[in-house]
């Protein structure tokens, strides 16, 4: 691997340049991807390792970023445990038979990586052995976020069914958490075994819980997951969109990197005692603004980052489909050049 | 008016019982409302003062709450300034010709309350003069939230167009803010003149901004609005869903009440220096849980509330359609009885 700046920053080592990658860097903002989507569904792409490797590698080549992130959906492992799912364009993952009772949870099958999602690990092997000159980040969904899709059956605004099950049927909830933890751990280990150089946990929707709920219903399972993932010996990142109010919990985890959205600044995170490498936190809305505004905001973030210990430049949420690829290319160059000053 | 506990708590006066009302207490959780919706659209109801007064008063009678909140949509004043809007069931407000350029903003008409939304004030007059024994809360949308509907043209997940306009075209943004501020101020004054005893500003989506963006693009217009609303001489409440990270800004406003969602507790808000009366902050997900869990969480909030100065019990977001009316009735009684202990 030629370029290790992402890994070095994650492990708090000095780097010559500031590492940068973009959440959802592979996807609808790229004309090549939109063209593929005319022929293939997201599932089609994920199930074909050669195609999926192309999609994963494309932004590295196009944008010059310092890390690739495996292209898949956080619900990709669901069928492996007996939860059929399909992605509805413009909506998200749909599960026709949601998980809502003890029997539903008991019926879940154990996740067997090479039986359940062999294509995922094959994609990783292709990328890491032959192709990439940057680290490949493997990823998994966080347990609350995965459970919310399983319980609601579709993307939700208020997570009412999820929270109601969590609060009113804690036995069912904790058994589901245990099952999802096992799936997450096995999947993550298999991704690293196949060649992923780092792992990111997207607990995208857990910011809908308050600290008290997080401590009671999520923290124990996260500790279990992180404890097991230590054996992978790769940097671990946690990202929770809208999770600023949970930072006092996140900072206690034995992980390497905490991803921030734009609601919490690097300096505020440090003031709250976060010791981990920070990742973030440009509001992706700036990517559809004029270059002068994007440059100004990026300069502000990079300056703040440099004053606050180890960090990786990224967005505070995924790239929007409307973003021009040339903007991301220019932004990468700007970040890389900035760091040399 | 027989029952003034809501107003007293808002003004930090002692009350015998803890006042309680529920955001979106009038709406789809009520069978009577669902029946009306078979015949009438939301707009139909809002445009017919007798019907709208019935809908507004219904939860006061059914749930025994200490305040009524005017039934309407935050986009109700839009046609009055030349922005046609319709509510699509299951989606939200749709604006076929979004506001995105300087010319669009220049073309907006001034809001003339009694010409634009006479039915709103007629509803208020009917309710306040004849019917209600509790205060009627008038309401307006906050400028960011209103602008987001106007600019996106529909409910948004990421507010990309709104933020992009805000950042890249600050002249357009500030002119739009000025126009919306004028509309908000005139509408709010007219609501109070018609008989509203209090005002709540729902800046529901402003929590998508960070502190820096809020200070630059929103705070000045909020100060202008609050400064003008002081002349109304009624308690003013600000509520921003997911706005915990902006509390350091909200607390500086000359307003009476700050509404919290469940992400920030009463004691945390006090620790951050909030002096205003607090309103909130039950996660509405508890309303679909067993009574034992709802009771336990409510007890926790009420206990914390009593230890932290003046407060009004409410939810941290609107009532879900799935909530049983009997649950809200029971909850109101529980809150009222609790306070006597």
């Amino acid at each position: 691997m030629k370029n290790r700046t992402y890994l070095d920053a994650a492990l708090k080592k000095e780097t010559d340049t500031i590492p940068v990658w973009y959440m959802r860097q592979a996807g609808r903002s790229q004309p090549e991807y939109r063209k593929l989507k005319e022929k293939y569904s997201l599932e089609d792409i994920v199930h074909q390792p050669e195609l999926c490797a192309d999609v994963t590698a494309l932004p590295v080549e196009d944008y010059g970023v310092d890390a690739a992130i495996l292209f898949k959906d956080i619900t990709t492992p669901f069928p492996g445990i007996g939860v059929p799912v399909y992605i509805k364009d413009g909506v998200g993952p749909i599960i026709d038979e949601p998980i809502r009772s003890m029997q539903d949870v008991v019926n879940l099958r154990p996740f067997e990586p090479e039986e359940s999602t062999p294509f995922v690990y094959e994609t990783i092997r292709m990328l890491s052995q032959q192709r990439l000159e940057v680290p490949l980040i493997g990823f998994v969904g966080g347990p609350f976020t995965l459970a919310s899709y399983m319980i609601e059956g579709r993307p939700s605004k208020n997570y009412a069914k999820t929270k109601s099950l969590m609060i009113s049927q804690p036995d069912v909830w904790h058994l589901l958490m245990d099952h999802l933890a096992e799936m997450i751990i096995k999947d993550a280990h298999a991704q690293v075994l196949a060649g992923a150089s780092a792992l990111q946990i997207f607990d995208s929707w857990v910011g809908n819980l308050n600290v008290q709920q997080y401590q009671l219903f999520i923290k124990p399972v996260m500790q279990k997951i992180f404890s097991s993932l230590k054996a992978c010996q790769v940097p671990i990142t946690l990202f929770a969109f809208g999770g600023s109010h949970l930072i006092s919990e996140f900072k206690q985890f034995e992980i390497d990197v905490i991803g921030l959205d734009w609601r919490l600044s690097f300096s505020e995170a440090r003031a709250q005692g976060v010791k981990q490498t920070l990742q973030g936190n440009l509001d992706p809305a700036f990517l559809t603004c004029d270059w002068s505004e994007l440059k100004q905001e990026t300069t502000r973030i990079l300056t703040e980052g440099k004053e606050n210990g180890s960090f990786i430049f990224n967005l505070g949420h995924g790239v929007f489909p409307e973003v021009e690829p040339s903007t991301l290319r220019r932004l990468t160059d700007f970040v890389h050049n900035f760091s040399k000053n």
Side-chain angles (χ1 to χ4, degrees), chain A:
Chain A
M1 196 188 304
K2 270 192 187 166
N3 177 347
R4 297 184 52 92
T5 58
Y6 166 84
L7 296 177
D8 287 342
L11 298 171
K12 293 193 199 172
K13 294 180 192 165
E14 288 267 321
T15 58
D16 288 339
T17 57
I18 297 168
V20 48
W21 68 280
Y22 306 113
M23 289 193 282
R24 217 174 293 161
Q25 61 191 8
R28 282 185 297 155
S29 67
Q30 298 184 293
E32 298 89 338
Y33 179 80
R34 288 199 298 268
K35 206 168 169 189
L36 275 178
K37 279 298 298 282
E38 290 171 14
K39 278 174 70 180
Y40 303 107
S41 70
L42 188 146
E43 290 96 328
D44 291 338
I45 296 171
V46 171
H47 280 76
Q48 298 180 62
E50 287 212 23
L51 198 55
C52 192
D54 284 349
V55 169
T56 301
L58 191 62
V60 181
E61 294 151 12
D62 275 6
Y63 303 150
V65 287
D66 300 298
I69 183 154
L70 182 63
F71 184 81
K72 66 181 186 81
D73 190 72
I74 62 170
T75 63
T76 298
F78 283 16
I81 61 170
V83 181
V85 58
Y86 59 97
I87 313 288
K88 194 168 170 181
D89 273 336
V91 179
I94 306 289
I95 288 144
D96 285 329
E97 291 180 47
I99 305 299
R100 292 183 187 164
S101 71
M102 184 57 98
Q103 195 56 51
D104 292 339
V105 179
V106 169
N107 288 347
L108 294 175
R109 295 201 305 262
F111 183 77
E112 298 302 343
E114 288 291 352
E115 284 172 36
S116 299
T117 53
F119 44 87
V120 166
Y121 316 112
E122 181 57 25
T123 304
I124 295 176
R125 280 189 289 268
M126 293 178 80
L127 281 163
S128 59
Q129 287 166 11
Q130 302 158 28
R131 184 152 173 187
L132 288 176
E133 297 185 341
V134 298
L136 175 64
I137 306 169
F139 83 87
V140 290
F144 177 84
T145 302
L146 297 180
S148 78
Y149 286 115
M150 287 191 179
I151 296 166
E152 306 283 340
R154 55 189 297 127
S156 171
K157 273 187 198 168
N158 55 35
Y159 307 93
K161 293 185 179 69
T162 308
K163 290 185 188 174
S164 183
L165 185 147
M166 179 180 91
I167 294 160
S168 287
Q169 302 184 69
D171 292 357
V172 180
W173 178 261
H174 288 299
L175 196 68
L176 178 59
M177 287 297 103
D178 286 346
H179 201 94
L180 292 179
E182 197 196 325
M183 179 186 87
I184 290 165
I185 288 167
K186 284 183 175 177
D187 188 14
H189 275 273
Q191 290 185 44
V192 173
L193 192 68
S197 306
L199 287 167
Q200 178 153 333
I201 289 91
F202 287 88
D203 211 355
S204 311
W205 312 134
V206 79
N208 286 283
L209 300 184
N210 63 21
V211 170
Q212 195 196 27
Q213 293 166 338
Y214 193 83
Q215 288 173 341
L216 210 54
F217 296 110
I218 304 297
K219 195 176 181 181
V221 72
M222 297 307 287
Q223 283 168 324
K224 182 177 165 181
I225 292 168
F226 291 136
S227 168
S228 167
L229 295 191
K230 273 182 83 79
C232 292
Q233 295 186 294
V234 299
I236 310 284
T237 298
L238 173 64
F239 175 71
F241 181 67
S244 307
H245 59 293
L246 301 176
I247 198 79
S248 58
E249 303 302 309
F250 299 161
K251 74 177 184 186
Q252 298 173 35
F253 293 135
E254 283 194 61
I255 53 176
D256 303 284
V257 185
I258 293 178
L260 303 177
D261 74 18
W262 59 88
R263 292 179 182 87
L264 192 71
S265 69
F266 290 149
S267 54
E268 286 162 341
R270 292 298 179 215
Q272 292 192 45
V274 178
K275 306 288 184 212
Q276 289 91 341
T277 293
L278 295 170
Q279 179 172 274
N281 70 346
L282 178 76
D283 185 340
F286 279 93
L287 299 174
T288 54
C289 295
D290 295 340
W291 171 249
S292 61
E293 278 96 20
L294 172 55
K295 183 177 147 183
Q296 189 185 350
E297 179 66 0
T298 303
T299 302
R300 189 190 67 73
I301 291 170
L302 296 176
T303 306
E304 193 177 357
K306 286 176 81 167
E307 289 165 357
N308 285 283
S310 194
F311 80 104
I312 295 157
F313 184 77
N314 203 318
L315 310 175
H317 208 183
V319 176
F320 304 142
E322 300 86 352
V323 173
E324 290 293 332
S326 60
T327 303
L328 290 172
R329 172 82 240 183
R330 191 174 183 184
L331 183 60
T332 310
D333 289 344
F334 182 76
V335 175
H336 285 156
N337 288 325
F338 186 91
S339 23
K340 290 174 193 157
N341 299 335

